[in-house]
Amino acid sequence: MKLLVTGGAGYIGSIVAHQLVTAGHEVEIIDNLSTGFAANLPARARFHRMSIHQAADILTPDAGFDGVLHFAGSIEVAESVRNPDKYWANNIEGSLALLRAIRAAGVPRLIVSSTGSMYTGDGITAFDESAEVCPKNPYAATKSTVDQLIAGECGASEVLGAASLRYFNACGSVLTTDGIHLGERHDPESHLIPILLQAAGGQRPEFTLFGTDYETRDGTCIRDYIHVADLAAAHLLALAAIEPGRYEVYNFGNGAGHTNREVLDTVREVTGSDFPVHLAERRPGDPAVCIAASDKAHRELGWKPEHADLETIVGDAWRFHRELYAGN
Protein backbone atom coordinates (compact mmCIF):
# COMPACT_ATOMS: atom_id res chain seq x y z
CA MET A 1 0.00 0.00 0.00
CA LYS A 2 0.90 3.65 -0.31
CA LEU A 3 0.79 5.08 3.20
CA LEU A 4 1.18 8.48 4.85
CA VAL A 5 2.67 8.55 8.35
CA THR A 6 2.17 11.76 10.32
CA GLY A 7 4.69 12.36 13.10
CA GLY A 8 6.92 9.75 11.52
CA ALA A 9 10.15 11.20 12.96
CA GLY A 10 9.02 10.68 16.56
CA TYR A 11 9.53 7.71 18.87
CA ILE A 12 6.63 5.40 17.99
CA GLY A 13 5.90 6.89 14.57
CA SER A 14 9.44 6.32 13.28
CA ILE A 15 9.50 2.70 14.46
CA VAL A 16 6.18 2.01 12.75
CA ALA A 17 7.43 3.77 9.59
CA HIS A 18 10.50 1.52 9.51
CA GLN A 19 8.32 -1.58 9.94
CA LEU A 20 6.03 -0.45 7.13
CA VAL A 21 8.98 0.09 4.77
CA THR A 22 10.44 -3.30 5.72
CA ALA A 23 7.04 -4.90 4.98
CA GLY A 24 7.21 -3.50 1.43
CA HIS A 25 4.84 -0.53 1.65
CA GLU A 26 5.47 2.81 -0.04
CA VAL A 27 5.76 5.32 2.79
CA GLU A 28 5.64 9.10 2.91
CA ILE A 29 6.13 11.00 6.19
CA ILE A 30 4.94 14.37 7.48
CA ASP A 31 6.75 15.81 10.51
CA ASN A 32 7.72 19.35 11.48
CA LEU A 33 10.65 18.03 13.59
CA SER A 34 9.56 20.07 16.61
CA THR A 35 10.01 16.96 18.78
CA GLY A 36 11.04 14.35 16.21
CA PHE A 37 14.48 13.73 14.70
CA ALA A 38 15.48 13.55 11.04
CA ALA A 39 17.93 10.76 11.93
CA ASN A 40 14.96 8.55 12.83
CA LEU A 41 13.54 8.56 9.30
CA PRO A 42 13.73 5.46 7.06
CA ALA A 43 15.98 6.05 4.08
CA ARG A 44 13.39 4.58 1.72
CA ALA A 45 10.56 6.86 2.88
CA ARG A 46 9.77 10.20 1.28
CA PHE A 47 9.91 12.97 3.88
CA HIS A 48 7.94 16.23 3.98
CA ARG A 49 8.97 18.70 6.68
CA MET A 50 5.68 20.43 7.44
CA SER A 51 2.92 20.81 9.99
CA ILE A 52 0.05 18.36 10.26
CA HIS A 53 -2.18 21.36 9.48
CA GLN A 54 -0.74 21.25 5.94
CA ALA A 55 -1.61 17.59 5.34
CA ALA A 56 -3.88 18.46 2.40
CA ASP A 57 -0.80 19.60 0.45
CA ILE A 58 0.38 15.97 0.37
CA LEU A 59 -2.86 14.05 0.80
CA THR A 60 -4.40 15.21 -2.47
CA PRO A 61 -7.22 13.41 -4.33
CA ASP A 62 -4.84 12.25 -7.07
CA ALA A 63 -1.97 11.17 -4.76
CA GLY A 64 -3.29 7.62 -4.46
CA PHE A 65 -2.82 7.01 -0.75
CA ASP A 66 -4.31 3.77 0.59
CA GLY A 67 -4.04 4.72 4.25
CA VAL A 68 -2.85 7.12 6.93
CA LEU A 69 -1.18 6.36 10.26
CA HIS A 70 -1.54 9.39 12.52
CA PHE A 71 1.09 9.98 15.24
CA ALA A 72 1.55 13.75 14.99
CA GLY A 73 0.64 15.68 18.13
CA SER A 74 1.72 16.95 21.52
CA ILE A 75 1.93 14.37 24.32
CA GLU A 76 3.15 15.86 27.62
CA VAL A 77 0.50 15.88 30.35
CA ALA A 78 2.12 18.58 32.52
CA GLU A 79 2.65 20.87 29.54
CA SER A 80 -0.98 20.42 28.51
CA VAL A 81 -2.06 21.70 31.93
CA ARG A 82 0.20 24.76 31.61
CA ASN A 83 -0.54 25.43 27.95
CA PRO A 84 -3.84 23.83 26.88
CA ASP A 85 -4.15 26.06 23.80
CA LYS A 86 -1.15 24.31 22.26
CA TYR A 87 -2.91 20.97 22.66
CA TRP A 88 -6.19 22.19 21.18
CA ALA A 89 -4.25 23.58 18.21
CA ASN A 90 -1.93 20.65 17.59
CA ASN A 91 -4.04 17.65 18.54
CA ILE A 92 -7.60 18.72 17.73
CA GLU A 93 -7.19 21.32 14.99
CA GLY A 94 -4.35 19.34 13.42
CA SER A 95 -6.44 16.15 13.38
CA LEU A 96 -9.40 18.03 11.90
CA ALA A 97 -7.18 19.30 9.09
CA LEU A 98 -6.02 15.74 8.47
CA LEU A 99 -9.59 14.37 8.48
CA ARG A 100 -10.69 16.99 5.93
CA ALA A 101 -7.80 15.95 3.66
CA ILE A 102 -8.63 12.26 4.13
CA ARG A 103 -12.26 12.91 3.20
CA ALA A 104 -11.38 14.96 0.13
CA ALA A 105 -8.85 12.37 -1.05
CA GLY A 106 -11.13 9.39 -0.41
CA VAL A 107 -8.53 7.57 1.71
CA PRO A 108 -10.03 4.29 2.98
CA ARG A 109 -7.86 3.50 6.03
CA LEU A 110 -6.81 5.43 9.15
CA ILE A 111 -4.87 4.26 12.21
CA VAL A 112 -4.65 6.70 15.12
CA SER A 113 -2.19 6.90 18.00
CA SER A 114 -4.32 7.31 21.12
CA THR A 115 -3.91 6.80 24.87
CA GLY A 116 -5.19 4.73 27.76
CA SER A 117 -4.81 7.75 30.02
CA MET A 118 -8.32 8.91 29.09
CA TYR A 119 -9.91 6.08 31.10
CA THR A 120 -11.07 6.28 34.69
CA GLY A 121 -11.99 3.45 37.04
CA ASP A 122 -11.66 2.01 40.52
CA GLY A 123 -7.85 2.09 40.53
CA ILE A 124 -7.72 -1.70 40.60
CA THR A 125 -9.49 -3.25 37.60
CA ALA A 126 -7.73 -3.50 34.22
CA PHE A 127 -9.17 -1.20 31.56
CA ASP A 128 -10.85 -2.76 28.56
CA GLU A 129 -12.37 -0.78 25.70
CA SER A 130 -15.71 -0.42 27.53
CA ALA A 131 -14.13 1.38 30.52
CA GLU A 132 -15.44 4.85 31.32
CA VAL A 133 -13.70 7.64 29.43
CA CYS A 134 -13.20 10.61 31.75
CA PRO A 135 -10.05 12.60 30.85
CA LYS A 136 -8.24 14.20 33.79
CA ASN A 137 -6.05 16.65 31.83
CA PRO A 138 -6.10 18.59 28.56
CA TYR A 139 -3.81 16.08 26.80
CA ALA A 140 -6.14 13.14 27.48
CA ALA A 141 -9.14 15.34 26.65
CA THR A 142 -7.73 16.13 23.21
CA LYS A 143 -7.11 12.45 22.51
CA SER A 144 -10.64 11.55 23.55
CA THR A 145 -12.01 14.33 21.35
CA VAL A 146 -10.01 13.15 18.34
CA ASP A 147 -11.37 9.62 18.84
CA GLN A 148 -14.91 11.03 18.80
CA LEU A 149 -14.17 12.99 15.63
CA ILE A 150 -12.91 9.87 13.88
CA ALA A 151 -15.85 7.76 15.04
CA GLY A 152 -18.19 10.35 13.57
CA GLU A 153 -16.24 10.52 10.32
CA CYS A 154 -16.43 6.75 9.88
CA GLY A 155 -20.15 6.79 10.68
CA ALA A 156 -20.75 9.37 7.96
CA SER A 157 -18.57 7.63 5.37
CA GLU A 158 -19.04 4.61 3.18
CA VAL A 159 -15.31 4.63 2.42
CA LEU A 160 -13.28 5.30 5.58
CA GLY A 161 -12.50 2.62 8.14
CA ALA A 162 -10.40 3.51 11.19
CA ALA A 163 -8.96 2.24 14.44
CA SER A 164 -7.74 4.10 17.50
CA LEU A 165 -4.95 2.33 19.36
CA ARG A 166 -4.91 3.31 23.03
CA TYR A 167 -1.45 2.72 24.47
CA PHE A 168 -0.32 2.03 28.01
CA ASN A 169 3.30 3.17 28.60
CA ALA A 170 5.23 2.38 25.45
CA CYS A 171 8.89 1.77 26.26
CA GLY A 172 12.08 0.05 25.13
CA SER A 173 13.99 0.59 21.91
CA VAL A 174 14.39 -0.98 18.48
CA LEU A 175 17.39 -1.53 16.21
CA THR A 176 16.06 -1.29 12.65
CA THR A 177 17.07 -3.52 9.76
CA ASP A 178 19.23 -0.68 8.39
CA GLY A 179 21.06 -0.20 11.69
CA ILE A 180 19.24 2.80 13.17
CA HIS A 181 18.69 2.64 16.94
CA LEU A 182 15.32 4.17 17.89
CA GLY A 183 14.27 4.94 21.46
CA GLU A 184 12.70 7.54 23.73
CA ARG A 185 14.09 11.08 23.49
CA HIS A 186 11.93 13.67 25.24
CA ASP A 187 12.95 17.09 26.54
CA PRO A 188 12.03 17.37 29.30
CA GLU A 189 11.70 13.65 30.03
CA SER A 190 8.49 12.65 31.82
CA HIS A 191 8.35 8.85 31.45
CA LEU A 192 9.41 6.54 34.26
CA ILE A 193 11.93 4.22 32.60
CA PRO A 194 13.95 6.93 30.78
CA ILE A 195 13.97 9.03 33.96
CA LEU A 196 15.35 6.08 35.92
CA LEU A 197 17.96 5.49 33.22
CA GLN A 198 19.03 9.13 33.43
CA ALA A 199 19.57 8.63 37.16
CA ALA A 200 21.49 5.43 36.48
CA GLY A 201 23.58 7.10 33.77
CA GLY A 202 24.39 10.21 35.82
CA GLN A 203 22.30 12.63 33.76
CA ARG A 204 20.24 13.49 36.86
CA PRO A 205 21.41 13.39 40.50
CA GLU A 206 18.63 11.23 41.93
CA PHE A 207 15.28 9.59 41.28
CA THR A 208 12.10 10.74 43.02
CA LEU A 209 9.61 8.00 43.93
CA PHE A 210 6.14 9.48 44.35
CA GLY A 211 3.90 7.63 46.80
CA THR A 212 4.83 4.58 48.86
CA ASP A 213 1.52 3.99 50.69
CA TYR A 214 -0.76 2.71 47.93
CA GLU A 215 -2.73 -0.51 48.48
CA THR A 216 -0.46 -2.52 46.20
CA ARG A 217 2.01 -5.33 46.81
CA ASP A 218 4.84 -2.96 47.78
CA GLY A 219 3.03 0.33 48.34
CA THR A 220 3.90 1.94 44.98
CA CYS A 221 1.80 2.48 41.85
CA ILE A 222 1.32 -0.33 39.34
CA ARG A 223 1.58 0.49 35.63
CA ASP A 224 1.47 -1.49 32.39
CA TYR A 225 4.59 -1.36 30.19
CA ILE A 226 4.50 -2.43 26.52
CA HIS A 227 7.58 -2.81 24.37
CA VAL A 228 7.49 -0.38 21.47
CA ALA A 229 8.31 -3.19 18.99
CA ASP A 230 5.14 -5.03 20.05
CA LEU A 231 3.16 -1.81 19.79
CA ALA A 232 4.51 -1.10 16.31
CA ALA A 233 3.53 -4.59 15.17
CA ALA A 234 -0.01 -3.91 16.40
CA HIS A 235 -0.33 -1.00 13.97
CA LEU A 236 0.37 -3.23 10.98
CA LEU A 237 -2.17 -5.79 12.18
CA ALA A 238 -4.81 -3.11 12.72
CA LEU A 239 -4.11 -1.63 9.29
CA ALA A 240 -4.78 -5.01 7.67
CA ALA A 241 -8.03 -5.51 9.62
CA ILE A 242 -9.76 -2.22 8.79
CA GLU A 243 -13.12 -2.38 7.02
CA PRO A 244 -14.97 0.50 5.27
CA GLY A 245 -17.30 2.47 7.56
CA ARG A 246 -16.10 0.65 10.67
CA TYR A 247 -14.43 2.33 13.63
CA GLU A 248 -12.71 0.26 16.32
CA VAL A 249 -10.84 0.97 19.53
CA TYR A 250 -8.08 -1.35 20.77
CA ASN A 251 -6.21 -1.20 24.07
CA PHE A 252 -2.56 -2.25 24.04
CA GLY A 253 -0.57 -3.28 27.09
CA ASN A 254 0.94 -6.41 28.56
CA GLY A 255 -1.95 -6.80 30.99
CA ALA A 256 0.29 -7.58 33.96
CA GLY A 257 1.58 -4.41 35.57
CA HIS A 258 4.76 -3.69 37.49
CA THR A 259 5.10 -1.49 40.55
CA ASN A 260 7.34 1.55 40.51
CA ARG A 261 9.66 -0.23 42.96
CA GLU A 262 9.87 -3.25 40.67
CA VAL A 263 10.83 -1.03 37.75
CA LEU A 264 13.37 0.76 39.96
CA ASP A 265 14.89 -2.54 41.09
CA THR A 266 15.03 -3.84 37.50
CA VAL A 267 16.79 -0.67 36.29
CA ARG A 268 19.35 -1.01 39.10
CA GLU A 269 19.92 -4.66 38.20
CA VAL A 270 20.23 -4.08 34.44
CA THR A 271 22.46 -1.00 34.71
CA GLY A 272 24.48 -2.02 37.77
CA SER A 273 23.97 1.48 39.17
CA ASP A 274 22.86 2.16 42.76
CA PHE A 275 21.72 5.78 42.41
CA PRO A 276 20.04 7.85 45.17
CA VAL A 277 16.25 7.64 45.52
CA HIS A 278 14.19 10.39 47.15
CA LEU A 279 10.81 9.31 48.61
CA ALA A 280 8.01 11.84 48.12
CA GLU A 281 4.27 12.11 48.73
CA ARG A 282 1.74 10.87 46.19
CA ARG A 283 1.11 13.05 43.17
CA PRO A 284 -2.51 14.25 42.95
CA GLY A 285 -4.61 12.11 40.63
CA ASP A 286 -2.26 9.12 40.40
CA PRO A 287 -4.36 5.91 40.62
CA ALA A 288 -2.94 2.89 42.43
CA VAL A 289 -3.28 0.64 39.38
CA CYS A 290 -3.45 1.42 35.65
CA ILE A 291 -3.17 -1.62 33.38
CA ALA A 292 -4.72 -2.63 30.05
CA ALA A 293 -6.97 -5.52 29.15
CA SER A 294 -5.95 -6.30 25.56
CA ASP A 295 -8.25 -9.29 24.99
CA LYS A 296 -9.97 -7.60 22.04
CA ALA A 297 -6.66 -7.11 20.22
CA HIS A 298 -5.68 -10.72 20.95
CA ARG A 299 -9.04 -11.97 19.66
CA GLU A 300 -9.66 -9.75 16.62
CA LEU A 301 -6.14 -8.93 15.44
CA GLY A 302 -4.22 -12.00 16.57
CA TRP A 303 -1.85 -9.68 18.44
CA LYS A 304 0.35 -11.02 21.21
CA PRO A 305 3.27 -9.22 22.87
CA GLU A 306 6.60 -10.93 22.23
CA HIS A 307 8.77 -8.74 24.50
CA ALA A 308 6.72 -8.62 27.70
CA ASP A 309 9.57 -9.31 30.12
CA LEU A 310 10.44 -6.17 32.08
CA GLU A 311 14.18 -6.95 32.09
CA THR A 312 14.13 -7.17 28.28
CA ILE A 313 12.28 -3.85 28.00
CA VAL A 314 14.68 -2.08 30.36
CA GLY A 315 17.72 -3.70 28.76
CA ASP A 316 16.70 -2.49 25.30
CA ALA A 317 16.02 1.01 26.65
CA TRP A 318 19.40 1.06 28.43
CA ARG A 319 21.29 0.14 25.25
CA PHE A 320 19.69 3.08 23.46
CA HIS A 321 20.31 5.38 26.42
CA ARG A 322 24.04 4.54 26.55
CA GLU A 323 24.34 5.15 22.80
CA LEU A 324 22.46 8.44 23.08
CA TYR A 325 24.71 9.76 25.88
CA ALA A 326 27.97 8.20 24.70
CA GLY A 327 30.81 10.62 25.24
CA ASN A 328 28.76 12.96 27.44
Side-chain angles (χ1 to χ4, degrees), residues 13 46 69 80 99 122-123 141 145 175 199 261 267 291 298:
R46 185 179 180 187
L69 294 96
S80 79
L99 282 172
D122 57 13
T145 299
L175 185 64
R261 283 193 187 275
V267 168
I291 59 176
H298 300 329

Side-chain angles (χ1 to χ4, degrees), residues 40 94 113 169-170 194 196 205 241:
N40 290 355
S113 169
N169 298 300
L196 281 164

Side-chain angles (χ1 to χ4, degrees), residues 84-274:
D85 285 3
K86 176 180 177 179
Y87 283 69
W88 312 142
N90 289 349
N91 295 358
I92 296 178
E93 292 176 8
S95 295
L96 273 171
L98 178 66
L99 282 172
R100 292 189 191 102
I102 286 172
R103 186 190 313 128
V107 177
R109 300 171 185 85
L110 173 62
I111 301 293
V112 181
S113 169
S114 194
T115 176
S117 67
M118 68 178 67
Y119 292 123
T120 189
D122 57 13
I124 299 173
T125 308
F127 293 115
D128 65 14
E129 291 79 5
S130 67
E132 181 184 2
V133 171
C134 185
K136 302 297 186 183
N137 55 73
Y139 162 67
T142 63
K143 287 295 192 177
S144 174
T145 299
V146 169
D147 282 357
Q148 293 177 58
L149 293 172
I150 294 165
E153 194 72 27
C154 289
S157 174
E158 296 180 357
V159 176
L160 180 65
S164 290
L165 278 53
R166 294 177 180 168
Y167 314 155
F168 287 68
N169 298 300
C171 45
S173 69
V174 169
L175 185 64
T176 69
T177 55
D178 49 357
I180 301 175
H181 208 167
L182 302 172
E184 290 191 79
R185 300 171 65 180
H186 304 120
D187 185 20
E189 187 54 69
S190 62
H191 298 164
L192 179 64
I193 291 176
I195 286 174
L196 281 164
L197 295 178
Q198 287 177 354
Q203 287 78 42
R204 60 175 67 214
E206 65 179 12
F207 170 70
T208 301
L209 181 59
F210 293 99
T212 58
D213 58 349
Y214 289 94
E215 293 183 7
T216 60
R217 52 185 173 265
D218 64 16
T220 63
C221 293
I222 295 176
R223 297 292 182 266
D224 196 336
Y225 298 92
I226 176 172
H227 197 293
V228 68
D230 290 330
L231 187 56
H235 288 75
L236 274 69
L237 292 171
L239 185 68
I242 285 176
E243 297 177 1
R246 177 181 165 196
Y247 171 68
E248 295 290 346
V249 171
Y250 296 100
N251 289 354
F252 287 95
N254 286 324
H258 298 279
T259 71
N260 287 349
R261 283 193 187 275
E262 289 167 352
V263 179
L264 167 61
D265 291 343
T266 301
V267 168
R268 279 176 162 165
E269 180 180 349
V270 168
T271 64
S273 175
D274 189 17

